[in-house]
Amino acid sequence: MKKWYINAMDCKPKDGDLTDFVVVVHWSRLANEVINDKEYSTSVYGTQSFSSEDVTDFIPYQQLTYDIVCGWLDNSIDVAAIDLTLDKQIENLVNPPIVTLPLPFVNP
C-alpha cells in the first residue's frame, strides 16, 4: 500500500488578495507491503512548490484537508515514477543486491 504523508506546509502570509497561501508542501510517500508474512516499509521525501499564478479556486488554509493537499500532489508530481522507486526499494529489502557476509577467516 502506498500513501502520502504531509510533513509540513510553508505559506506566504500575504500574496496579493490571498492570505496564508501554501507555497511549498513537504511530503513523504510511504509504502508498506507484506511478502511471505513479513512486512516491509520504505519511504521517499520531497517538496512541491506552488505559485499563486496557478490558482483557480483558492481554499483558505484552515479549510484545507488531507485529501485536498494529496490531490494537489497527485496533479503536480509524477506519482507513477515515485511509486516505481518505492517498489524498487521494497524489492531491494526483500532481495538485497549487496549483503555483508561473516568473514570466512579469523583476524590475527
Side-chain angles (χ1 to χ4, degrees):
M1 178 176 84
K2 296 176 185 82
K3 65 181 178 180
W4 293 112
Y5 182 84
I6 308 304
N7 300 293
M9 296 191 295
D10 299 335
C11 299
K12 274 182 114 171
K14 200 78 170 137
D15 190 345
D17 293 337
L18 307 177
T19 302
D20 297 331
F21 177 76
V22 176
V23 291
V24 178
V25 173
H26 300 261
W27 56 264
S28 295
R29 183 87 170 149
L30 312 174
N32 294 310
E33 196 168 332
V34 176
I35 300 172
N36 297 327
D37 296 324
K38 184 174 179 186
E39 184 173 358
Y40 297 90
S41 300
T42 190
S43 66
V44 293
Y45 172 86
T47 60
Q48 180 63 35
S49 298
F50 297 95
S51 169
S52 60
E53 296 170 6
D54 300 325
V55 172
T56 54
D57 294 316
F58 178 73
I59 301 169
Y61 187 83
Q62 294 302 324
Q63 294 176 17
L64 292 174
T65 65
Y66 171 82
D67 289 335
I68 290 170
V69 177
C70 290
W72 294 350
L73 296 175
D74 288 337
N75 292 323
S76 59
I77 295 176
D78 187 349
V79 179
I82 292 170
D83 287 352
L84 284 174
T85 297
L86 291 168
D87 289 342
K88 183 64 175 167
Q89 288 177 350
I90 294 281
E91 173 62 27
N92 287 343
L93 291 171
V94 174
N95 299 302
I98 297 175
V99 296
T100 303
L101 298 175
L103 294 174
F105 56 85
V106 175
N107 281 303

